Amino acid sequence: MTHMAASARSTPSDHAGLGLRERKKLKTRVAIRDATYRLIAEQGYDATTVEQIAEAAEVSPSTVFRYFPTKEDIVLTDEYDPVLESELRSRPADEPIIESMKHVITKALKLGFDEDAEMTRLRTRLQVEVPAVRSRMMESMSVTGQLLCRVLAERTDRDPADLEVRVYSMALVGALMETTLYWAEHGHQDDLSDLMTRTLDTFANGL
Amino acid sequence: MTHMAASARSTPSDHAGLGLRERKKLKTRVAIRDATYRLIAEQGYDATTVEQIAEAAEVSPSTVFRYFPTKEDIVLTDEYDPVLESELRSRPADEPIIESMKHVITKALKLGFDEDAEMTRLRTRLQVEVPAVRSRMMESMSVTGQLLCRVLAERTDRDPADLEVRVYSMALVGALMETTLYWAEHGHQDDLSDLMTRTLDTFANGL
DNA sequence: TAGATATTGACAGTGACTATCACTTAAGAG
DNA sequence: CTCTTAAGTGATAGTCACTGTCAATATCTA
């Protein structure tokens, strides 16, 4: 879901009664992400080195890479795919997929989005402006695509590895991603929910 | 079109009556690509450094980067987007887009593909196996997407920047790309034309 | 508290990519 | 044909993302 607009500063299931170790890890993770967003907002993406991020987050560069496999991932990583999946599964099984997506997306935007609109805007702006970030976002597409494959396969009683299921899923994910880019390219002026609705209608009915 | 299967060892409009300079450039370009494919086939993608490529192609590393912006581009770059565009435009304007795509793709596969099946297989295999290559391929999607936007906009008499046009185009390109991946993942055993036909049917009619 | 284990930082790489500059070589004018 | 101009090249020296290793430290468990 990185390619959509859901934000993710605080993880879905924040610090519960975890051990000290886990709590520290979470704190470090958040520290790195916050430092990254701050520095990038100040200096831009390319001008911000991992070393600077490490220093700002008060960890070593090694640690940064232990938490995030690549620099782009610091910006992009979120944990909303599982949420999306369970939300989709909670919709009636005979509802058309497009309808389900409309509901789920609208809900997701209402909830997760207002919560931290600033970061979502920065993130989507980077997706438009920084090739490396866009590229990584597109890779994340295939993960969400696989998720969709599973759900779709279940609903239509097919194999998730079927060509048809995979094609339909990736086409859909591609459509959603393009919508987010469109939104960001136009300065986040439109209402994203409206755009998504238009997208899903186009997807269902053709041009 | 990098994400599709069209190959491109010899450029479409090979060495005509170009000046000596142009001919040399073309030779260098081909030398770099051939060296790259050979080394990668022998040692794998990651184990092959740009330095090795430069040495094998008998140029300096600087020159390699003058010809190709990134290492992935050496593998991926092709020049078939313009061909695709003109072929698409040569179809009757009132033909459904999906039909046009079927014709154009089938034709492209028949022509450009048998010519150098070996390289096409290596290329698509790398798209599956090497994340960096897949990632770059996905970036090239958006270029082909824009191409499709132009053609579609013209046919349907809309603005190529319309959300609907963009969404439809990217969805279609995503579908085609997924098909190529599917083909490569299954060891290139299916007939790619058949797969593409199934894909376009799914795209037109839904799941 | 003692010992197993997880997490970290320091260090030393590798390799893709960039910028600069002098040098060679092809292209065009007279 | 030759001189000028500009294109193309190679060498060099960098930057920075990212990897691997190892010793030190912090947490957990018994």
Side-chain angles (χ1 to χ4, degrees), chain A residues 95-103 168 172 200-201 203-204:
Chain A
E95 182 180 58
I97 304 110
I98 299 298
E99 271 315 300
S100 302
M101 290 296 292
K102 271 191 199 172
H103 283 108
Y168 191 88
L172 183 47
L200 289 169
D201 286 336
F203 190 84

Side-chain angles (χ1 to χ4, degrees), chain A residues 21 25 60 62-63 66-67:
Chain A
R21 231 168 215 167
K25 277 211 286 190
S60 76
S62 338
T63 300
R66 268 191 208 100
Y67 279 80

Side-chain angles (χ1 to χ4, degrees), chain A:
Chain A
M1 277 321 266
T2 307
H3 47 281
M4 281 187 48
S7 85
R9 169 176 272 152
S10 51
T11 38
S13 57
D14 247 2
H15 33 19
L18 302 159
L20 177 55
R21 231 168 215 167
E22 304 296 318
R23 257 176 296 153
K24 268 198 168 178
K25 277 211 286 190
L26 246 163
K27 259 176 62 177
T28 307
R29 195 180 178 79
V30 171
I32 293 173
R33 251 212 301 252
D34 286 355
T36 304
Y37 275 114
R38 212 195 63 231
L39 287 172
I40 287 181
E42 286 169 8
Q43 326 174 334
Y45 182 85
D46 288 329
T48 302
T49 72
V50 173
E51 204 170 353
Q52 290 175 342
I53 294 171
E55 194 184 333
E58 296 182 307
V59 293
S60 76
S62 338
T63 300
V64 174
F65 286 110
R66 268 191 208 100
Y67 279 80
F68 300 94
T70 72
K71 184 180 160 189
E72 299 94 57
D73 279 298
I74 310 178
V75 177
L76 286 175
T77 301
D78 65 33
E79 299 83 359
Y80 280 89
D81 266 5
V83 178
L84 171 66
E85 181 161 6
S86 71
E87 285 290 330
L88 263 184
R89 284 187 202 284
S90 78
R91 302 292 314 174
D94 59 335
E95 182 180 58
I97 304 110
I98 299 298
E99 271 315 300
S100 302
M101 290 296 292
K102 271 191 199 172
H103 283 108
V104 169
I105 289 175
T106 306
K107 183 175 172 188
L109 290 180
K110 275 222 181 65
L111 289 183
F113 177 46
D114 298 329
E115 164 190 321
D116 199 338
E118 203 53 49
M119 179 171 308
T120 304
R121 286 208 203 89
L122 176 55
R123 186 196 292 214
T124 51
R125 198 163 55 71
L126 290 177
Q127 286 171 0
V128 170
E129 290 171 4
V130 182
V133 174
R134 161 136 83 233
S135 170
R136 198 91 181 101
M137 164 191 69
M138 287 182 152
E139 281 187 71
S140 84
M141 267 180 55
S142 65
V143 177
T144 309
Q146 285 165 17
L147 179 168
L148 258 183
C149 276
R150 289 194 297 275
V151 176
L152 276 177
E154 221 167 85
R155 286 211 187 183
T156 61
D157 201 40
R158 293 168 186 249
D159 191 322
D162 268 2
L163 175 67
E164 278 76 9
V165 176
R166 287 181 53 175
V167 159
Y168 191 88
S169 299
M170 275 306 288
L172 183 47
V173 174
L176 297 175
M177 187 198 64
E178 187 70 7
T179 309
T180 305
L181 289 180
Y182 178 96
W183 181 60
E185 279 174 22
H186 290 70
H188 308 102
Q189 288 175 355
D190 304 280
D191 178 65
L192 186 52
S193 286
D194 289 348
L195 296 183
M196 289 290 177
T197 303
R198 284 169 60 191
T199 290
L200 289 169
D201 286 336
T202 303
F203 190 84
N205 307 324
L207 244 195

Side-chain angles (χ1 to χ4, degrees), chain B residues 13-24 26:
Chain B
S13 57
D14 245 3
H15 32 21
L18 301 159
L20 176 54
R21 227 166 214 165
E22 303 297 317
R23 257 176 297 152
K24 267 199 169 177
L26 245 162

